[in-house]
Amino acid sequence: MSKKWVYLFKEGNASQKYLLGGKGANLCEMTNIGLPVPPGLTVTTEACTEFYEQGKKLTDEIINQIEANLSILEEQTGKKFGDIDNPLLVSVRSGAAFSMPGMMDTILNLGLNDKTVEGMANKTGNKRFAYDSYRRFIQMFGDVVLEIPKVKFDNALETAKEEKGYNFDTELTAEDLISLVDEFKTIYKEETKTEFPQEPENQLLMAVEAVFRSWNNQRAITYRNLYDIPHNLGTAVNVQSMVFGNMGDTSGTGVAFTRNPSTGEKNVFGEFLINAQGEDVVAGIRTPLPIDKLNEVMPEIYNQFIEAAHTLEQHYKDMQDIEFTIEEGKLYFLQTRNGKRTADAALRAAVEMVDEGLITKKEAVMRVDPKSLDQLLHPKFDQADLEKSVPIAKGLPASPGAATGKIYFTADEAVAAVQRGEDTILVRKETSPEDIEGMNKAKGILTSRGGMTSHAAVVARGMGKCCVAGCESINVNESSKIMTVKGETYTEGDYISLDGSTGSVYKGKIKTVEANISGNFSKLMEWADEFRVLGIRTNADTPKDSEVAVKFGAEGIGLCRTEHMFFEESRIFSVRKMIIADSVEQREKALAEILPMQKNDFKGIFKVMGIRPVTIRLLDPPLHEFIPHDEEDIIDLAKDMNVSVTKLKDTINGLQEFNPMLGHRGCRLAISYPEIARMQTKAIIEAAIEVSREENINIIPEIMVPLVGKKEELSILRKLIIEVAEETKKEFGSDLQYLVGTMIEIPRACVTADEVAEYADFFSFGTNDLTQMTFGYSRDDAGKFLEDYKDAGILEQDPFQTIDQVGVGKLVETAVKLGRGAKDHLHLGVCGEHGGDPASIEFFHKTGLDYVSCSPFRVPVARLAAAQAAVKN
Amino acid sequence: MSKKWVYLFKEGNASQKYLLGGKGANLCEMTNIGLPVPPGLTVTTEACTEFYEQGKKLTDEIINQIEANLSILEEQTGKKFGDIDNPLLVSVRSGAAFSMPGMMDTILNLGLNDKTVEGMANKTGNKRFAYDSYRRFIQMFGDVVLEIPKVKFDNALETAKEEKGYNFDTELTAEDLISLVDEFKTIYKEETKTEFPQEPENQLLMAVEAVFRSWNNQRAITYRNLYDIPHNLGTAVNVQSMVFGNMGDTSGTGVAFTRNPSTGEKNVFGEFLINAQGEDVVAGIRTPLPIDKLNEVMPEIYNQFIEAAHTLEQHYKDMQDIEFTIEEGKLYFLQTRNGKRTADAALRAAVEMVDEGLITKKEAVMRVDPKSLDQLLHPKFDQADLEKSVPIAKGLPASPGAATGKIYFTADEAVAAVQRGEDTILVRKETSPEDIEGMNKAKGILTSRGGMTSHAAVVARGMGKCCVAGCESINVNESSKIMTVKGETYTEGDYISLDGSTGSVYKGKIKTVEANISGNFSKLMEWADEFRVLGIRTNADTPKDSEVAVKFGAEGIGLCRTEHMFFEESRIFSVRKMIIADSVEQREKALAEILPMQKNDFKGIFKVMGIRPVTIRLLDPPLHEFIPHDEEDIIDLAKDMNVSVTKLKDTINGLQEFNPMLGHRGCRLAISYPEIARMQTKAIIEAAIEVSREENINIIPEIMVPLVGKKEELSILRKLIIEVAEETKKEFGSDLQYLVGTMIEIPRACVTADEVAEYADFFSFGTNDLTQMTFGYSRDDAGKFLEDYKDAGILEQDPFQTIDQVGVGKLVETAVKLGRGAKDHLHLGVCGEHGGDPASIEFFHKTGLDYVSCSPFRVPVARLAAAQAAVKN
């Protein structure tokens, strides 16, 4: 028996997505559940594969099956291909298993030729319409089947209009169009050296081949590479008899959603036009009417449509996006698919569908894109106001949300402006830890340098503050307090607006709308928690951040960066004294001043977190980050500290590094200056003991050593930490428990994780640094070539946003295997920026980590993504 | 049967090094080949292990065996422990399988007590000698067995001398020494609360225990960690009857080598003293006589000694270092071991021993330390002159050799000085490619920053020029043209001297001696080539370097850095034009100017190398390295280039990076600016075609893409290279063959080497960068903490000198396995600095690489090390 290459719509169903494509399967499904669908047939994806196997040729068997099914279609419609009185006209559309831009889209009115166009004119009584359809068909066919440049046809059309003095296509008369058809056929012949095919069956076979060929055009291949769609799936071809919504006042066309795609409200939402074709809706020449008006003009059709919409939603168990046409009082469905929706709508629909009993909680959890939650948690621009605004530049969407305010170029000036009651945007080339206060006070942050994990991006996300980073087309001059964009200059006090979710920068003010978290949100989050396996912690350095994160559902702190506490104005002086100390004694004296401050910081965090685990990382950044570098600031500091400018400069010079990222930082500091690690350990242990007593709980602090590459580093520091901790406990008469672990962020630590595990109670993967070193990319400099790399198809995504599973991921897997091999109860987490990225979270789930940790505002994203990862795997 | 814990010297032999220790095994061997060795016994290393297993206690069985063998010793010597008339006195020495400083060394005259001291006085007729021996014994025993601070005894001795008004110990009379013995015994009692042991058997057992305990003292443990000696080997104890060289004019003592340890000349070389003990030789109070004088005073003994020396060398088949004592006209051998020797001597002895038929070529190859070859290939200081000089600072021994000259702080001034006929030392904080000319002209280079693979170090080694790098104790001020060291200031024109083999910096001039390569050298190298499996290539960027390398035996070029050619004064202008170009067109115009220059460079190299393979790396460093950064230079350049200073500064700012090592460099440049890679490919292919024709040979150039981390980078650039190469071949009507491969220097490339291999004809491991990224160490900044890391025992060696086998090595192995798995004929080499390091070369041999590539002056080192690796494995 020969293979079935062609299916009539009534022969297939929705489960045959891979064989019939998504569109074809849905047309079959609608046909079979009894909805009125213009009859048609689908040439299978297997026929596409066969087409390629035969050297891009349709086999006789496929051609025969197409023709045989075409005969059935003629019977079903009572029309005939090439019949002058009652011609069968069809649309031809591609349809793969996955929606895939780049392939050939649609040819309408196939079947028209010099004779049937007359039949169509007679049948519709509208010669103009018939010839307009014909010239469009020639153009579409020429363009997509034979790759004749569209512009050739457009030029002919424009010339015709100019000659007649017309402004709009609609002014063209039937006669104009008849001669235009002739011209189009001439163009066709000039370009292809053949006559425009008059035989409808030829037209059809040529169109089918064109669809199959388009499967392997460059755009489609690139798209599949980008989205990891296998190249051997092939596309199906849908051939459907045409229906016309423009056959008078009992005809029409429209689109509708079964629920409101903006709000999720359960109410059919859509619009229609009487006496119109789909493209009229798109062209925007006439204004469509809201769908309920249909009740007034065609109540019967309306009821029929509403009922069918309900049927479709119940049938697909999801909000549907439906295309329909009414031809002379008869309703037809041309397409149904799951509707695109805003985050608000996705959330509301998912939760309400569970309440309606339509879907399960598990299904609801899978219905909301975790990334879209950002829209719910941050301010947005007022849509109307936004539409009036023009973006002046685009940077990286570093931290979501919308902000508007006056620009200031230094943190101090931004803070002063906020104190005057102004809304401000802090604009910097790049931010540094000295800018924290200004960042905290500003509404939004804009930098011209740095990537998704630059200082500005990381800190802003931690604060839940809007940030556009690495906006290279803006030239920031901090000293003269101006920025220039495309030749235009903005000075201090000028208004701009930022969209941190898209990276767009706008001139002037745009109204913002505050975030509004509904009850549906917490319901969905609870359901997510039921399914997820991964724990969710947060990266938080202050009691305030910790509180926000707990509110969002964080189960602990995975990364508390102690250095952020060093920058507060009240303590930076002591920190600097420590750094320029000449001897261990001097350094210890300065550290003794810092100790009570750090201890209080930790107490504040412990109080918020209670018995939730808190992982505190020892000092990580290179010391020069704490010292000013401007001449003026250095002179001030020297005066303040009572040292000579020369000595201070010598110290600063001595601290300078060619590649600070690979320099004297992390645990290397603790090895060189063990007194710093001792002070921090003491502060942590004392804080934990005191809060445990005050609150009558058992806090178990987790002390984390950063940047370990050799087991010896950890063994030495573990010993030091335990020594200090035990001394402190003895002093306090406490039996506090604590853990000592390490960041895994150096490639060497990954490949020797079995050795490192010997001295670690836990690992926390620092995937930011691990990505930097595994790729050899500086996160602050990669902006210079990442765009070139995306353009060249080398990188599909920024590896600092979504973990590179093939390379960095392999090192993570190696470390997990070696680490757990050496110590099977080893607790594993991740605290890099990837901890808040859904695709990365799925990878971490599969890799068997115990938890992910992310910035507070990403906690809900992580909860949902973790749940989806668990359901999927 | 009980285990044998104790061996008489006549019971063991040289093969029992692990059981009897090196010293004991050799004493046994000498005894058995019939040489006169004072009888003795060895307590085995197994007894040491047993001692620790029993909780640091000697078992009864061991004690019994010691005592039983002691009785035999008494019989052999005719003396008795504790016998007043004829007391047996012994020396006790530790002796592990490997020579190991840090353990207990020697106790002499054990067996002396208040009674036997009198017997000794009678027997020798020298009371002073007997009591001096006794007081030394008490001090040594108290110090090493009971850890009584040596200073206590020394103080008592000093007090005694002061009271008598003596200047020298030798002035002490017998009576003085008798009362000093009393005082020493009192000190002993005060410190240990016990009497000084009078029973010789007790003394012996206590000494044996002390030797065993010293196996695990901190210094010994550290030493074993450092040299990877297993901790469970244990040490043996050698107990040998004393002989005395100070019993009158028929007695004496001496040391001798069977060949000259400085030159290797075959001639017994040594010195002796009549009527003296070993320590007199060491103390330097009397001047020893050359060994041939012995022929005059004791011709019989001399002949006996010469014959024995010959026997020993023939027996051990290596140059021996022999200790002997003559007691009353009788010759005794106390120790023999393989003699330490200079590189010259090692080479000459090894080659001559083959000629003599004493050893095989293979053995000769194993006899010379590859690292020592540096001494043969570079100038050295005149030894006498050196001894008069004091080092003022110590840096890293970055490139071997000795140099002396006037200091200059800029390359330009150094060049000018050389033109005036001065010898110069270029002193810089760090060098940059702009300094090449000055480095080339200077006698030596000194930098205060940077590590073993810093720019200065790498370039100097390439030039075979003396360099001390990272000399952090020197403060270099380039603008005021001074350097300060320990408070002393050196200005331009002052003389200093550098030893690049040790890292020492000296004040003033020191005479240097030119390198002198003997025929033995090439003989040994030829033999090495017979055994080695690894190919040896060189890293060379100029025809001159290539010539030197070929002379040293390089079989090809493994790394030709094209960027070094960009810096020549005549072309840097074009290079800068290329960099500040605004458009692809402008850049291509500048590149067109560079093309003929690069092509000529390549032609020069191809002409030298002939059909030897030449691997040329495409442009690697970040572009900002080619642009000046000083205000003044920028203004000059702007004028030169006819652009505004502002524009030039903007360009320079745009090129600046936070972490250039992880920035826009390597193949990333070729992706962003494919026109650069195109120009370089064209230059390489044209040069290869032209030289192939001119010389009538078939050159197969190897084009290498640096810094690949993703297979896509290589696939894109491979395509580009092939396109340009094929075009060029067509243009020339040539059928030239060529290879396209990649550096493997990014961790990600290692773990995805199977993917990368798909597009590579060869891999060349760039272990410098791979080490940087695997450890997360910037080679230029790691100086700040590497010393702390060595002190803390975290790093045993600088991973930039010797490859870290556990971490970086694992990534190399992974890449080899994945790469060869994907493509089994994949050609593999290494071109990092490790290619010239013997320990690393052994690792690369074991890993199965095809070749190593190193700087020209290291080629001989690599040849020898590769041969040794092959013989060993």
Side-chain angles (χ1 to χ4, degrees), chain A residues 108-396:
Chain A
L108 296 178
N109 296 321
L110 187 143
L112 281 177
N113 59 19
D114 295 350
K115 290 176 188 155
T116 53
V117 69
E118 279 299 324
M120 190 187 186
N122 290 337
K123 200 157 173 262
T124 57
N126 189 340
K127 198 161 190 148
R128 189 194 176 283
F129 164 63
Y131 277 91
D132 193 37
S133 300
Y134 192 22
R135 73 98 189 157
R136 283 172 199 257
F137 170 53
I138 298 169
Q139 175 166 7
M140 239 185 282
F141 190 89
D143 170 23
V144 301
V145 177
L146 286 132
E147 294 172 28
I148 300 170
K150 221 166 150 261
V151 68
K152 304 242 171 192
F153 298 109
D154 286 339
N155 287 346
L157 178 70
E158 287 310 312
T159 309
K161 277 158 65 185
E162 271 168 35
E163 278 169 7
K164 300 277 179 177
Y166 298 156
N167 285 320
F168 299 105
D169 292 5
T170 43
E171 293 173 76
L172 290 161
T173 63
E175 296 317 308
D176 295 335
L177 288 163
I178 288 171
S179 61
L180 206 53
V181 161
D182 274 342
E183 251 184 274
F184 276 21
K185 286 195 293 187
T186 310
I187 291 171
Y188 184 98
K189 191 170 174 188
E190 275 167 8
E191 291 289 323
T192 65
K193 314 293 173 210
T194 57
E195 299 288 343
F196 181 77
Q198 291 292 321
E199 191 57 57
E201 266 145 40
N202 276 353
Q203 294 173 354
L204 180 61
L205 293 179
M206 287 172 80
V208 169
E209 286 183 348
V211 171
F212 284 166
R213 280 198 306 271
S214 74
W215 172 255
N216 267 345
N217 70 28
Q218 199 49 53
R219 278 210 300 155
I221 291 172
T222 304
Y223 186 88
R224 289 198 296 273
N225 281 335
L226 214 57
Y227 291 91
D228 250 353
I229 298 172
H231 291 293
N232 60 359
L233 288 181
T235 181
V237 186
N238 299 296
V239 180
Q240 188 171 28
S241 51
M242 293 289 300
V243 285
F244 297 94
N246 53 351
M247 308 252 305
D249 286 345
T250 57
S251 299
T253 190
V255 294
F257 293 83
T258 55
R259 303 188 184 217
N260 185 316
S262 297
T263 65
E265 193 191 357
K266 194 183 178 196
N267 212 352
V268 172
F269 177 94
E271 46 191 30
F272 74 102
L273 271 173
I274 292 295
N275 195 13
Q277 273 197 309
E279 52 194 42
D280 298 326
V281 181
V282 177
I285 298 164
R286 290 165 57 195
T287 306
L289 301 168
I291 195 78
D292 27 344
K293 287 281 177 199
L294 188 60
N295 199 9
E296 293 169 20
V297 290
M298 299 182 197
E300 207 173 313
I301 296 281
Y302 177 75
N303 287 336
Q304 195 189 339
F305 177 77
I306 293 296
E307 198 181 314
H310 181 72
T311 305
L312 280 170
E313 187 178 278
Q314 291 289 317
H315 186 75
Y316 283 101
K317 296 176 190 292
D318 199 357
M319 186 228 281
Q320 294 298 296
D321 170 0
I322 301 163
E323 291 179 19
F324 64 94
T325 286
I326 305 158
E327 186 185 63
E328 297 183 326
K330 187 159 164 32
L331 175 66
Y332 292 99
F333 287 87
L334 297 182
Q335 173 153 310
T336 191
R337 56 183 172 190
N338 295 338
K340 294 215 185 310
R341 62 207 84 176
T342 63
D344 287 303
L347 182 64
R348 177 165 172 180
V351 172
E352 288 186 357
M353 282 181 191
V354 172
D355 294 342
E356 292 161 22
L358 193 59
I359 59 173
T360 64
K361 288 180 193 174
K362 197 183 267 187
E363 285 167 323
V365 162
M366 298 305 286
R367 284 287 166 83
V368 179
D369 178 2
K371 279 187 189 164
S372 73
L373 294 183
D374 272 345
Q375 293 177 35
L376 303 178
L377 302 172
H378 297 280
K380 292 179 267 223
F381 285 131
D382 175 81
Q383 197 56 33
D385 220 22
L386 178 64
E387 275 162 17
K388 288 181 269 167
S389 310
V390 184
I392 52 172
K394 191 147 187 176
L396 297 170

Side-chain angles (χ1 to χ4, degrees), chain B residues 154-173:
Chain B
D154 286 340
N155 286 347
L157 178 70
E158 287 308 311
T159 309
K161 276 159 66 187
E162 271 169 35
E163 279 169 8
K164 300 278 180 178
Y166 298 157
N167 286 320
F168 299 105
D169 292 5
T170 43
E171 294 174 73
L172 288 162
T173 64

Side-chain angles (χ1 to χ4, degrees), chain A residues 654 658-662 668 672 710 713 746 748 751 774-776 778 781 784 788-789 794 804 810, chain B residues 449 654 658-662 668 672 710 713 746 748 751 774-776 778 781 784 788-789 794 804 810:
Chain A
F658 295 103
N659 296 285
M661 198 58 77
L662 305 175
R668 299 164 198 173
S672 296
K710 291 204 80 185
E713 295 169 312
I746 298 270
R748 196 183 186 286
V751 297
T774 304
F775 272 93
S778 157
D781 301 311
K784 287 195 201 307
D788 292 335
Y789 266 45
I794 296 170
D804 157 51
K810 201 185 272 184
Chain B
R449 303 276 298 269
F658 295 103
N659 296 285
M661 198 57 78
L662 305 175
R668 298 164 197 171
S672 297
K710 290 204 79 185
E713 295 168 315
I746 298 270
R748 195 182 186 286
V751 298
T774 304
F775 272 93
S778 157
D781 302 311
K784 285 196 201 309
D788 293 335
Y789 266 45
I794 296 170
D804 157 53
K810 200 186 273 183

Side-chain angles (χ1 to χ4, degrees), chain B residues 619-733:
Chain B
L619 190 65
D620 185 52
L623 296 182
H624 60 72
E625 285 200 8
F626 300 97
I627 299 259
H629 294 101
D630 288 351
E631 182 74 18
E632 214 175 297
D633 292 347
I634 292 171
I635 294 171
D636 281 356
L637 180 62
K639 220 177 284 168
D640 265 9
M641 313 211 63
N642 199 21
V643 294
S644 76
V645 172
T646 317
K647 180 184 154 40
L648 187 55
K649 277 195 183 166
D650 275 357
T651 305
I652 295 173
N653 280 338
L655 289 172
Q656 241 145 32
E657 297 183 306
F658 295 103
N659 296 285
M661 198 57 78
L662 305 175
H664 199 182
R665 52 179 283 246
C667 69
R668 298 164 197 171
L669 291 172
I671 297 287
S672 297
Y673 310 112
E675 50 279 9
I676 301 179
R678 269 195 218 106
M679 179 280 284
Q680 293 200 300
T681 302
K682 199 164 158 59
I684 294 166
I685 297 294
E686 287 190 6
I689 292 173
E690 291 185 3
V691 177
S692 289
R693 286 180 179 170
E694 289 163 19
E695 312 269 322
N696 199 20
I697 52 178
N698 280 324
I699 292 172
I700 305 181
E702 305 182 353
I703 300 177
M704 181 155 74
V705 178
L707 217 69
V708 163
K710 290 204 79 185
K711 64 164 189 234
E712 290 84 355
E713 295 168 315
L714 188 58
S715 81
I716 290 171
L717 292 172
R718 182 186 178 87
K719 201 168 148 232
L720 176 148
I721 290 165
I722 290 177
E723 252 172 45
V724 174
E726 293 304 321
E727 262 171 36
T728 310
K729 282 168 57 181
K730 211 166 151 190
E731 196 183 307
F732 278 71

Side-chain angles (χ1 to χ4, degrees), chain A residues 604-768:
Chain A
I605 291 172
F606 286 140
K607 275 183 191 155
V608 171
M609 298 307 291
I611 56 164
R612 294 181 190 87
V614 175
T615 307
I616 298 173
R617 180 177 70 183
L618 299 183
L619 190 66
D620 185 52
L623 296 182
H624 61 73
E625 284 200 9
F626 299 97
I627 299 262
H629 294 101
D630 289 352
E631 182 74 18
E632 214 176 299
D633 292 347
I634 292 172
I635 294 171
D636 282 355
L637 181 63
K639 219 177 285 169
D640 264 10
M641 312 210 63
N642 200 21
V643 295
S644 76
V645 172
T646 316
K647 179 184 156 37
L648 187 55
K649 277 194 183 166
D650 275 357
T651 306
I652 294 172
N653 280 339
L655 290 171
Q656 241 146 30
E657 297 183 305
F658 295 103
N659 296 285
M661 198 58 77
L662 305 175
H664 200 182
R665 54 179 282 248
C667 69
R668 299 164 198 173
L669 291 173
I671 297 288
S672 296
Y673 310 112
E675 51 278 8
I676 301 180
R678 271 196 216 106
M679 178 281 285
Q680 293 199 301
T681 302
K682 197 164 157 64
I684 294 165
I685 298 294
E686 286 191 9
I689 292 173
E690 290 184 6
V691 177
S692 288
R693 285 178 180 171
E694 288 163 19
E695 311 268 323
N696 198 20
I697 52 177
N698 281 323
I699 292 172
I700 305 180
E702 306 181 352
I703 300 176
M704 181 155 75
V705 178
L707 218 68
V708 163
K710 291 204 80 185
K711 65 165 188 231
E712 289 85 355
E713 295 169 312
L714 188 58
S715 82
I716 289 172
L717 293 173
R718 182 185 179 87
K719 200 169 148 234
L720 176 149
I721 291 165
I722 290 177
E723 250 172 46
V724 175
E726 293 304 319
E727 260 171 36
T728 311
K729 280 167 59 180
K730 209 164 152 193
E731 195 183 308
F732 279 70
S734 160
D735 62 350
L736 184 93
Q737 288 180 282
Y738 56 92
L739 304 175
V740 182
T742 182
M743 300 270 284
I744 298 287
E745 51 188 335
I746 298 270
R748 196 183 186 286
C750 291
V751 297
T752 61
D754 46 347
E755 297 184 356
V756 177
E758 246 185 272
Y759 304 98
D761 299 322
F762 61 88
F763 281 176
S764 178
F765 287 95
T767 50
N768 297 353

